[in-house]
Amino acid sequence: MIRGILSGKGGVGKTTITVNLGIALHNLGENVVVLDGDLKNPNLSLHLGVFKYNLTLQDVVEKDISHISLLNALYVHETGLRFIPAHLSLNFLDTDASKLKSFLENSPYNVLIDSSPGLGKDSLSVLECCDEVFVVTEPYLPDITDCMKTLEVAKDRDVNVKGIILNKVRGKDYELGKEEIKACTNTNVIANLPFEENVLRSLKLKNPVINYKPLSKVSLGFNQLAADISDKEFVKPRFLPLKRAFSFIQNKSKSAKAN
Ligand SMILES: Nc1ncnc2c1ncn2[C@@H]1O[C@H](COP(=O)(O)OP(=O)(O)O)[C@@H](O)[C@H]1O
Ligand SMILES: [Mg+2]
């Protein structure tokens, strides 16, 4: 199964979602690997805090040698997540993303691809690889119109659209709600992820939020989404307020000791 995380515009949270959803699926026992398909602006590595590689996606795709497989560029993060990074260097700007499809045929893993935004050549190449896609948006009108274009192109190409992932929701009256978005797009909103500063902190620490703050609302949102898409039951942790309060006190005492 090849799944893609797409969006109409940049900065909406595709890479954040790819990484955290990937970890949540891995924790549920899925044989998943996340792949950086944003070849112009790859930043999966930044989110995972791993920068040294012998081979990256572009090395494999560019070498064009039949016995080289993408598995040569597969690494395992400390969370257990398998990932295939793309090189950050400008030297690889011309890598042809349309070659990706042949490398993903017969993959022994379920692959979750982080796409570039919009409908450029690279995102269309990612779309071509996918059995199903998720389209990420923020809850504002221009974002939704961009999202609609991506949905339309995916549907035109007979790619199964699993749904919209609504991200950075602040619960303000000027945001569009799930039902409004569904009415505009004819597509279900399958996740409603809150805006949380923990996500920004986790990026600075290069530690995915689901690992850094597993009990936070956004992390539970990733777990819920992973359970929903893999047809598993989502079990909400028990005594959540108590556990959150306990981890808050622990963190306070750690930072007091550090000072
Ligand atoms: N739910 C969220 N709450 C707060 N900040 C978020 C959330 N999701 C993503 N971000 C932040 O938004 C920025 C863009 O996210 P990123 O995943 O890189 O987007 P994209 O891959 O779509 O360009 C990053 O700084 C990230 O930490
Ligand atoms: Mg990104």
Side-chain angles (χ1 to χ4, degrees):
M1 162 79 74
I2 314 285
R3 302 180 177 115
I5 304 286
L6 283 89
S7 74
K9 69 180 259 254
V12 295
K14 288 178 302 302
T15 309
T16 307
I17 291 168
T18 306
V19 164
N20 288 283
L21 181 60
I23 295 173
L25 288 167
H26 168 77
N27 290 344
L28 285 177
E30 190 170 298
N31 211 6
V32 64
V33 50
V34 300
L35 179 148
D36 197 342
D38 188 350
L39 299 186
K40 296 279 182 290
N41 291 298
N43 48 32
L44 199 79
S45 299
L46 301 177
H47 286 247
L48 291 170
V50 186
F51 302 100
K52 281 199 175 147
Y53 305 107
N54 292 328
L55 284 176
T56 58
L57 186 148
Q58 295 100 323
D59 294 305
V60 172
V61 169
E62 298 233 311
K63 282 203 169 108
D64 228 357
I65 305 171
S66 60
H67 68 270
I68 284 221
S69 105
L70 272 180
L71 300 185
N72 290 95
L74 187 147
Y75 300 83
V76 183
H77 185 248
E78 62 188 49
T79 54
L81 177 70
R82 297 181 192 88
F83 67 102
I84 297 176
H87 210 291
L88 296 165
S89 157
L90 283 174
N91 297 338
F92 287 107
L93 271 188
D94 293 334
T95 300
D96 181 1
S98 69
K99 290 183 185 166
L100 251 185
K101 191 175 164 72
S102 64
F103 281 94
L104 289 172
E105 267 153 23
N106 307 318
S107 163
Y109 296 102
N110 285 342
V111 184
L112 187 60
I113 309 181
D114 180 21
S115 168
S116 49
L119 293 168
K121 197 167 165 257
D122 286 1
S123 2
L124 293 180
S125 299
V126 167
L127 195 57
E128 293 288 327
C129 298
C130 292
D131 302 307
E132 59 185 40
V133 294
F134 302 83
V135 183
V136 183
T137 182
E138 290 184 41
Y140 308 108
L141 204 50
D143 302 55
I144 306 297
T145 47
D146 292 348
C147 165
M148 281 161 78
K149 289 186 207 152
T150 305
L151 290 167
E152 208 166 306
V153 171
K155 288 172 186 171
D156 269 0
R157 292 175 186 224
D158 285 331
V159 180
N160 180 20
V161 175
K162 282 295 273 187
I164 292 174
I165 300 177
L166 192 54
N167 190 29
K168 304 195 196 182
V169 176
R170 291 175 164 90
K172 301 287 185 189
D173 56 4
Y174 48 75
E175 295 177 355
L176 293 175
K178 271 171 87 167
E179 290 310 317
E180 285 166 297
I181 295 172
K182 184 179 172 183
C184 296
T185 58
N186 279 325
T187 308
N188 284 330
V189 176
I190 56 162
N192 201 359
L193 301 168
F195 177 91
E196 253 188 46
E197 287 191 346
N198 283 325
V199 179
L200 296 158
R201 287 192 192 101
S202 77
L203 184 57
K204 186 173 179 198
L205 296 169
K206 302 180 204 73
N207 183 11
V209 70
I210 199 164
N211 196 38
Y212 167 57
K213 292 282 177 195
L215 299 175
S216 66
K217 283 193 179 148
V218 75
S219 297
L220 297 184
F222 289 123
N223 285 323
Q224 164 109 55
L225 178 59
D228 290 348
I229 66 177
S230 54
D231 277 333
K232 299 216 166 99
E233 193 192 350
F234 171 62
V235 187
K236 201 170 175 179
R238 295 176 72 201
F239 311 117
L240 203 47
L242 208 63
K243 284 181 179 161
R244 279 189 183 136
F246 189 64
S247 100
F248 179 76
I249 295 165
Q250 268 187 328
N251 288 338
K252 279 271 173 224
S253 68
K254 262 189 219 155
S255 59
K257 270 186 203 154
N259 294 327

